[in-house]
Amino acid sequence: SYLGNFEYNFDNKYYLSGSYRKDGSSRFAPDTRWGDFWSVSGSWRIKGEKFMSDINWLSNLRLKASYGVNGTWPDDPYGYMSLFAYGQNYNTKPGGVVSTVADAELKWETNYTANFGIESSFLDNRLTFNVDYFNRKSTNLLQNVPISSVTGFTSIKTNVGEISNKGFEFEVRGDVIRDKEVRWTLGMNLSTIKSEVTALYGGNDIIWYDPTGND
Protein backbone atom coordinates (compact mmCIF):
# COMPACT_ATOMS: atom_id res chain seq x y z
CA SER A 1 0.00 0.00 0.00
CA TYR A 2 0.95 3.63 -0.57
CA LEU A 3 -0.77 6.30 1.49
CA GLY A 4 -0.91 10.08 1.47
CA ASN A 5 -2.94 12.51 3.58
CA PHE A 6 -3.30 16.25 3.99
CA GLU A 7 -5.30 18.51 6.33
CA TYR A 8 -5.91 22.25 6.27
CA ASN A 9 -7.53 24.52 8.85
CA PHE A 10 -8.13 28.22 8.28
CA ASP A 11 -8.98 30.37 11.28
CA ASN A 12 -10.59 27.42 13.09
CA LYS A 13 -13.65 27.90 10.87
CA TYR A 14 -12.89 26.25 7.54
CA TYR A 15 -11.51 22.74 7.39
CA LEU A 16 -10.39 20.68 4.42
CA SER A 17 -8.79 17.26 4.25
CA GLY A 18 -7.98 14.67 1.64
CA SER A 19 -6.36 11.28 1.35
CA TYR A 20 -5.17 8.93 -1.36
CA ARG A 21 -4.03 5.36 -1.18
CA LYS A 22 -3.04 2.75 -3.70
CA ASP A 23 -3.55 -0.83 -2.52
CA GLY A 24 -2.43 -4.08 -4.08
CA SER A 25 -3.46 -7.58 -3.05
CA SER A 26 -2.31 -11.01 -4.14
CA ARG A 27 -5.94 -12.13 -3.86
CA PHE A 28 -6.36 -10.69 -7.37
CA ALA A 29 -4.70 -11.49 -10.66
CA PRO A 30 -1.77 -9.23 -11.68
CA ASP A 31 -3.92 -7.28 -14.17
CA THR A 32 -6.53 -6.37 -11.53
CA ARG A 33 -4.33 -6.40 -8.43
CA TRP A 34 -4.08 -2.67 -7.75
CA GLY A 35 -6.86 -0.30 -6.74
CA ASP A 36 -6.89 3.50 -6.32
CA PHE A 37 -8.87 4.83 -3.36
CA TRP A 38 -9.27 8.40 -2.16
CA SER A 39 -11.42 10.76 -0.14
CA VAL A 40 -12.06 14.49 0.31
CA SER A 41 -13.93 16.22 3.12
CA GLY A 42 -14.65 19.70 4.37
CA SER A 43 -16.53 21.50 7.08
CA TRP A 44 -17.61 25.01 8.02
CA ARG A 45 -17.85 25.93 11.69
CA ILE A 46 -20.60 28.51 11.40
CA LYS A 47 -20.52 29.27 15.12
CA GLY A 48 -17.05 30.77 14.64
CA GLU A 49 -18.34 33.54 12.38
CA LYS A 50 -18.71 37.06 13.78
CA PHE A 51 -22.42 37.24 13.02
CA MET A 52 -22.96 34.27 15.38
CA SER A 53 -20.99 35.70 18.32
CA ASP A 54 -24.04 37.15 20.13
CA ILE A 55 -26.02 33.91 20.09
CA ASN A 56 -24.92 32.62 23.48
CA TRP A 57 -27.34 29.71 23.76
CA LEU A 58 -25.79 28.11 20.67
CA SER A 59 -22.52 26.36 21.56
CA ASN A 60 -21.63 24.84 18.19
CA LEU A 61 -22.96 24.75 14.65
CA ARG A 62 -21.07 23.02 11.86
CA LEU A 63 -21.83 21.93 8.31
CA LYS A 64 -19.79 19.05 6.90
CA ALA A 65 -19.53 17.02 3.71
CA SER A 66 -17.34 14.21 2.45
CA TYR A 67 -16.93 11.91 -0.52
CA GLY A 68 -14.67 8.91 -0.77
CA VAL A 69 -13.86 5.66 -2.49
CA ASN A 70 -12.67 2.48 -0.80
CA GLY A 71 -12.31 -1.15 -1.77
CA THR A 72 -13.05 -4.65 -0.48
CA TRP A 73 -11.11 -7.77 -1.37
CA PRO A 74 -12.47 -11.35 -1.48
CA ASP A 75 -12.29 -13.49 1.65
CA ASP A 76 -10.57 -16.27 -0.29
CA PRO A 77 -6.81 -15.64 -0.56
CA TYR A 78 -6.75 -17.51 -3.90
CA GLY A 79 -10.07 -16.28 -5.26
CA TYR A 80 -8.87 -15.77 -8.84
CA MET A 81 -7.02 -19.11 -9.12
CA SER A 82 -8.33 -22.58 -9.91
CA LEU A 83 -6.52 -24.89 -7.49
CA PHE A 84 -5.66 -28.55 -7.34
CA ALA A 85 -5.92 -30.75 -4.26
CA TYR A 86 -3.96 -33.93 -3.85
CA GLY A 87 -4.59 -37.01 -1.80
CA GLN A 88 -7.38 -38.19 -4.11
CA ASN A 89 -5.87 -41.61 -4.70
CA TYR A 90 -7.25 -43.94 -7.37
CA ASN A 91 -6.59 -47.65 -7.49
CA THR A 92 -3.80 -47.21 -4.91
CA LYS A 93 -2.12 -44.60 -7.13
CA PRO A 94 -1.64 -40.98 -6.02
CA GLY A 95 -3.99 -38.51 -7.70
CA GLY A 96 -5.18 -34.94 -7.67
CA VAL A 97 -8.35 -33.11 -8.62
CA VAL A 98 -9.38 -29.55 -9.40
CA SER A 99 -10.63 -28.29 -6.03
CA THR A 100 -11.92 -24.81 -6.94
CA VAL A 101 -13.26 -23.04 -10.00
CA ALA A 102 -12.33 -19.36 -10.23
CA ASP A 103 -12.91 -16.11 -12.09
CA ALA A 104 -9.51 -15.07 -13.39
CA GLU A 105 -10.76 -11.47 -13.90
CA LEU A 106 -11.92 -10.96 -10.30
CA LYS A 107 -11.85 -7.25 -9.35
CA TRP A 108 -11.95 -5.10 -6.22
CA GLU A 109 -15.43 -4.43 -4.87
CA THR A 110 -15.53 -0.63 -4.89
CA ASN A 111 -17.64 1.62 -2.67
CA TYR A 112 -18.41 5.27 -3.44
CA THR A 113 -19.75 7.06 -0.35
CA ALA A 114 -21.09 10.60 0.07
CA ASN A 115 -21.98 12.09 3.46
CA PHE A 116 -23.58 15.40 4.38
CA GLY A 117 -24.30 16.48 7.93
CA ILE A 118 -25.03 19.12 10.52
CA GLU A 119 -23.53 19.13 14.02
CA SER A 120 -25.04 21.36 16.70
CA SER A 121 -24.92 21.80 20.46
CA PHE A 122 -26.70 24.13 22.84
CA LEU A 123 -26.56 25.53 26.36
CA ASP A 124 -22.82 25.17 26.93
CA ASN A 125 -22.81 21.81 25.13
CA ARG A 126 -25.39 20.29 27.49
CA LEU A 127 -27.59 19.33 24.54
CA THR A 128 -26.33 17.93 21.25
CA PHE A 129 -28.19 17.24 18.02
CA ASN A 130 -26.58 15.78 14.89
CA VAL A 131 -28.08 14.68 11.58
CA ASP A 132 -26.32 13.00 8.65
CA TYR A 133 -27.34 11.87 5.19
CA PHE A 134 -25.36 9.10 3.49
CA ASN A 135 -25.44 7.71 -0.03
CA ARG A 136 -23.28 4.70 -0.81
CA LYS A 137 -22.96 3.01 -4.18
CA SER A 138 -21.11 -0.30 -4.34
CA THR A 139 -19.93 -1.73 -7.68
CA ASN A 140 -18.34 -5.06 -8.64
CA LEU A 141 -20.03 -6.73 -5.68
CA LEU A 142 -18.17 -9.86 -4.60
CA GLN A 143 -20.39 -12.88 -4.09
CA ASN A 144 -20.48 -16.65 -4.49
CA VAL A 145 -22.78 -17.24 -7.47
CA PRO A 146 -24.47 -20.63 -7.87
CA ILE A 147 -23.51 -22.65 -10.95
CA SER A 148 -24.64 -25.99 -12.27
CA SER A 149 -23.37 -28.84 -10.09
CA VAL A 150 -22.81 -30.81 -13.30
CA THR A 151 -19.46 -28.99 -13.38
CA GLY A 152 -18.50 -30.65 -10.11
CA PHE A 153 -18.85 -27.35 -8.23
CA THR A 154 -21.79 -25.46 -6.77
CA SER A 155 -20.61 -21.83 -6.88
CA ILE A 156 -17.97 -19.42 -8.14
CA LYS A 157 -16.71 -16.20 -6.57
CA THR A 158 -17.25 -13.34 -9.01
CA ASN A 159 -18.30 -9.70 -9.38
CA VAL A 160 -22.08 -9.82 -9.65
CA GLY A 161 -23.49 -6.28 -9.79
CA GLU A 162 -24.17 -2.98 -8.05
CA ILE A 163 -26.17 -1.91 -5.00
CA SER A 164 -27.23 1.44 -3.54
CA ASN A 165 -27.62 2.19 0.17
CA LYS A 166 -28.90 5.57 1.31
CA GLY A 167 -30.50 7.01 4.40
CA PHE A 168 -30.36 9.34 7.39
CA GLU A 169 -28.82 9.10 10.84
CA PHE A 170 -30.07 11.19 13.78
CA GLU A 171 -28.45 11.58 17.19
CA VAL A 172 -29.72 13.45 20.26
CA ARG A 173 -27.68 13.55 23.47
CA GLY A 174 -28.04 15.59 26.65
CA ASP A 175 -26.47 15.98 30.07
CA VAL A 176 -29.18 15.44 32.68
CA ILE A 177 -26.70 16.00 35.51
CA ARG A 178 -23.34 17.71 35.05
CA ASP A 179 -21.22 18.97 37.89
CA LYS A 180 -17.66 18.53 39.15
CA GLU A 181 -18.29 15.04 40.52
CA VAL A 182 -21.09 13.51 38.46
CA ARG A 183 -22.10 13.55 34.83
CA TRP A 184 -25.20 11.68 33.69
CA THR A 185 -25.82 11.74 29.95
CA LEU A 186 -28.77 10.31 28.03
CA GLY A 187 -28.72 9.78 24.29
CA MET A 188 -30.76 8.35 21.46
CA ASN A 189 -30.00 7.62 17.83
CA LEU A 190 -32.14 6.66 14.86
CA SER A 191 -31.19 5.46 11.39
CA THR A 192 -33.10 4.91 8.17
CA ILE A 193 -31.78 2.99 5.19
CA LYS A 194 -33.00 2.07 1.74
CA SER A 195 -31.11 -0.64 -0.15
CA GLU A 196 -31.64 -1.35 -3.84
CA VAL A 197 -29.85 -3.65 -6.26
CA THR A 198 -29.34 -1.37 -9.26
CA ALA A 199 -27.54 -3.73 -11.66
CA LEU A 200 -26.80 -7.41 -12.16
CA TYR A 201 -23.99 -8.06 -14.58
CA GLY A 202 -24.97 -10.24 -17.51
CA GLY A 203 -28.65 -9.72 -16.74
CA ASN A 204 -28.84 -12.90 -14.69
CA ASP A 205 -30.78 -13.38 -11.48
CA ILE A 206 -28.59 -13.97 -8.43
CA ILE A 207 -29.53 -16.35 -5.65
CA TRP A 208 -28.36 -14.87 -2.35
CA TYR A 209 -27.35 -17.57 0.08
CA ASP A 210 -28.75 -16.76 3.52
CA PRO A 211 -26.87 -13.43 3.93
CA THR A 212 -28.19 -12.55 7.39
CA GLY A 213 -29.42 -15.88 8.73
CA ASN A 214 -32.72 -17.74 8.31
CA ASP A 215 -33.77 -15.77 5.20
Side-chain angles (χ1 to χ4, degrees), residues 177-190:
I177 299 175
R178 185 174 68 177
D179 56 33
K180 294 181 179 180
E181 298 181 353
V182 177
R183 173 174 289 191
W184 177 23
T185 301
L186 293 178
M188 179 182 69
N189 58 67
L190 172 69

Side-chain angles (χ1 to χ4, degrees), residues 118-129:
I118 300 175
E119 296 179 355
S120 60
S121 61
F122 311 90
L123 306 175
D124 194 23
N125 293 312
R126 294 184 69 99
L127 179 64
T128 299
F129 176 72

Side-chain angles (χ1 to χ4, degrees), residues 100-102 143-149 151-157 209:
T100 62
V101 59
Q143 188 175 324
N144 289 317
V145 176
I147 59 176
S148 173
S149 58
T151 62
F153 304 93
T154 58
S155 66
I156 180 174
K157 177 80 72 176
Y209 280 132

Side-chain angles (χ1 to χ4, degrees), residues 24-136:
S25 172
S26 59
R27 298 177 184 230
F28 299 98
D31 291 342
T32 59
R33 181 156 296 169
W34 290 92
D36 297 289
F37 309 111
W38 54 270
S39 68
V40 292
S41 65
S43 67
W44 174 28
R45 193 172 70 88
I46 304 174
K47 177 58 179 173
E49 300 290 353
K50 290 183 179 180
F51 61 83
M52 301 291 289
S53 60
D54 294 333
I55 307 177
N56 297 323
W57 52 267
L58 182 64
S59 305
N60 180 50
L61 181 62
R62 181 193 301 267
L63 294 178
K64 59 182 181 180
S66 65
Y67 186 82
V69 183
N70 62 19
T72 302
W73 57 34
D75 51 6
D76 188 343
Y78 307 103
Y80 76 96
M81 302 175 66
S82 292
L83 305 178
F84 283 84
Y86 293 93
Q88 307 296 320
N89 298 341
Y90 178 74
N91 197 18
T92 72
K93 303 299 183 181
V97 296
V98 178
S99 60
T100 62
V101 59
D103 179 0
E105 298 181 354
L106 202 63
K107 301 180 180 67
W108 285 87
E109 179 179 310
T110 308
N111 308 295
Y112 303 84
T113 305
N115 285 277
F116 305 92
I118 300 175
E119 296 179 355
S120 60
S121 61
F122 311 90
L123 306 175
D124 194 23
N125 293 312
R126 294 184 69 99
L127 179 64
T128 299
F129 176 72
N130 301 322
V131 59
D132 290 274
Y133 170 77
F134 63 90
N135 189 335
R136 173 173 171 164

